[in-house]
Amino acid sequence: MTVSPTHDRAAGPPGPRRALVTPAYAARAAKTPLVPFTVERREPGPHDVLIDILFCGVCHSDLHQVRDEWSGAIFPMVPGHEIVGRVTQVGEQVNKWKVGDTVGVGCFVDSCRACEACQAGEESYCEQGPVYTYNARERDGATPTYGGYSTRITVDEGYVVRIPEGLPLDRAAPLMCAGITTYSPLRHFGVKAGDRVAILGLGGLGHMGVKLAKALGAHVTVLSHSPGKRDDALRLGADDFVVTRDAAAFGRNARRFHFILDTVSAQHDYNAYLGLLRRDATMVLVGVPDPAPLSAPSLIEARRRLAGSSIGGITETQEMLDFCAARGIGADVEVISIQRINDAYERLLRSDVKYRFVIDLASLQS
Ligand code: NAP
Ligand code: ZN
Ligand code: ZN
């Protein structure tokens, strides 16, 4: 089937591109509530697609950045990097997408495309730094990027993925960050059937980690500081649940795990968790809390490894989406209107989310 009607293409002769004025929600300064705002999206260039945003997940990284916890934040800031929507316009040289496609956009919207990481399809490790979806600048070094708490976005066709049929779109949105950020280290570090895997922290990332590790055949234990999450952990597929507020739990579970995925957003004692790893086993940090000390013996005594992992590349993101669709895996979500975003942030701070807030952007249209 040939799909190339000209009405699918950006209209008009080449020339200065119009700015598309788009409703959004933004923080105007650090630690201030999000308020209604408008952003200008670029009219699609030859390789761009314009996407109507349907759902956008709420990641703890949004909160870290709105609170300027990683410093250097750019305000006004429109957060949101778990975007699912429909293509409404494509640039004249776009072949990969057509109007009506259901697509996702994750944590970055561009990268240098030339470095070793980009060439290897590992754009999240771009040596120039990927262009993050918000709180960043486009490759021109000037234009601020604005995220998915808005009704549409213009993105280069190479930084967009296909949402497979069968995945409910609200439950698919969190896969664009929480899904790929947990899938990528599980795969990269070779987690396999029968491995004893611990997921540390049962939030947005953690609950996806449980589902994905289980789908890979691992024996999964949740390590949580919230005793009330036990039933949910088991329902999500975990085989065991350990409350980390109980100091004796560290002795009982010493040298138990082949792999620990640490998703905790607040400062905690890495050394205590390293003690739960077997000989030659690995703990991977994906959570980004304030720094905490590391003591060499926690690694040395069992030749353990401590590693980190950042999101995942575009090809791997597509692979993860297809993996999830084939197994009916989506996020457990609480769908909210954009008007409830500040309450959602408060709850996220208290680890009170089951297990991802997802904004229905229809609430911003009306
Ligand atoms: P989240 O939904 O808020 O979950 C974080 C979980 O950490 C909480 O549910 C809680 O689990 C645990 N936790 C929170 N405060 C704690 C405390 N004081 N002591 C012990 N445990 C605590 O956050 P998320 O969206 O999953 O994000 C988690 C972290 O990953 C954030 O730092 C985020 O910025 C980072 N992140 C990194 C990447 C990457 O590429 N590396 C990508 C996305 C996000 P329990 O209640 O079960 O203890
Ligand atoms: Zn995220
Ligand atoms: Zn690069």
Side-chain angles (χ1 to χ4, degrees):
M1 191 182 73
T2 313
V3 184
S4 58
T6 44
H7 65 263
D8 277 358
R9 308 286 161 189
R17 301 199 179 275
R18 283 183 302 134
L20 305 171
V21 176
T22 302
Y25 257 57
R28 290 185 176 274
K31 299 188 177 142
T32 61
L34 272 67
V35 293
F37 186 68
T38 53
V39 295
E40 292 188 349
R41 300 299 192 185
R42 65 181 184 271
E43 197 176 21
H47 294 285
D48 287 335
V49 297
L50 180 64
I51 299 165
D52 264 0
I53 301 175
L54 299 172
F55 293 102
C56 182
V58 178
C59 180
H60 205 111
S61 300
D62 301 350
L63 196 55
H64 286 306
Q65 292 180 88
V66 160
R67 294 161 62 91
D68 199 12
E69 289 173 354
W70 297 343
S71 77
I74 303 169
F75 293 98
M77 185 191 300
V78 176
H81 60 203
E82 292 185 335
I83 297 169
V84 165
R86 287 235 162 73
V87 174
T88 56
Q89 199 178 318
V90 299
E92 51 268 27
Q93 289 181 41
V94 170
N95 294 312
K96 205 171 160 194
W97 309 109
K98 61 181 191 321
V99 170
D101 283 348
T102 307
V103 294
V105 177
C107 301
F108 52 91
V109 288
D110 208 341
S111 64
C112 86
R113 307 165 191 219
C115 73
E116 206 173 85
C118 285
Q119 291 286 312
E122 302 256 36
E123 298 89 350
S124 59
Y125 300 101
C126 174
E127 291 166 23
Q128 311 286 319
V131 175
Y132 290 107
T133 304
Y134 68 87
N135 190 23
R137 307 227 179 250
E138 298 279 4
R139 284 171 66 204
D140 64 8
T143 313
T145 58
Y146 296 115
Y149 298 6
S150 64
T151 57
R152 56 186 173 178
I153 188 168
T154 309
V155 185
D156 183 284
E157 61 172 329
Y159 293 80
V160 171
V161 292
R162 183 177 305 282
I163 304 297
E165 274 181 34
L167 277 180
L169 300 187
D170 52 350
R171 302 184 61 204
L175 302 181
M176 296 306 304
C177 173
I180 183 61
T181 302
T182 49
Y183 180 84
S184 184
L186 289 168
R187 295 305 304 264
H188 181 81
F189 291 92
V191 166
K192 57 185 189 315
D195 283 356
R196 288 200 292 279
V197 168
I199 304 293
L200 174 49
L202 193 64
L205 266 58
H207 95 291
M208 287 310 308
V210 170
K211 293 183 186 209
L212 293 168
K214 199 63 199 167
L216 292 170
H219 181 280
V220 179
T221 299
V222 169
L223 307 175
S224 171
H225 84 311
S226 305
K229 291 184 181 175
R230 176 182 296 275
D231 289 349
D232 282 347
L234 301 179
R235 178 181 54 77
L236 290 163
D239 301 285
D240 197 3
F241 182 85
V242 172
V243 179
T244 54
R245 285 184 184 178
D246 169 14
F250 289 87
R252 277 200 305 275
N253 291 283
R255 296 181 185 249
R256 179 174 173 194
F257 300 108
H258 296 100
F259 185 81
I260 299 178
L261 186 61
D262 180 346
T263 76
V264 172
S265 53
Q267 196 182 57
H268 55 291
D269 179 8
Y270 294 127
N271 305 297
Y273 293 98
L274 285 167
L276 308 185
L277 286 177
R278 301 181 62 73
R279 176 170 52 83
D280 287 330
T282 304
M283 178 160 98
V284 174
L285 309 182
V286 288
V288 193
D290 287 341
L294 179 68
S295 113
S298 356
L299 295 172
I300 291 170
E301 67 187 14
R303 203 164 52 195
R304 298 178 176 112
R305 301 184 188 94
L306 179 62
S309 187
S310 180
I311 329 166
I314 293 293
T315 305
E316 195 176 36
T317 302
Q318 188 66 63
E319 176 189 309
M320 175 275 308
L321 288 166
D322 296 341
F323 178 95
C324 287
R327 291 159 183 79
I329 296 175
D332 282 30
V333 300
E334 276 190 59
V335 177
I336 58 167
S337 65
I338 188 86
Q339 291 78 14
R340 286 185 50 211
I341 187 64
N342 296 305
D343 295 338
Y345 277 9
E346 287 301 316
R347 284 185 52 196
L348 206 52
L349 267 182
R350 299 196 301 266
S351 305
D352 175 22
V353 49
K354 294 190 169 181
Y355 274 86
R356 198 58 142 185
F357 291 113
V358 171
I359 302 164
D360 180 348
L361 270 309
S363 60
L364 192 52
Q365 308 273 9
S366 45

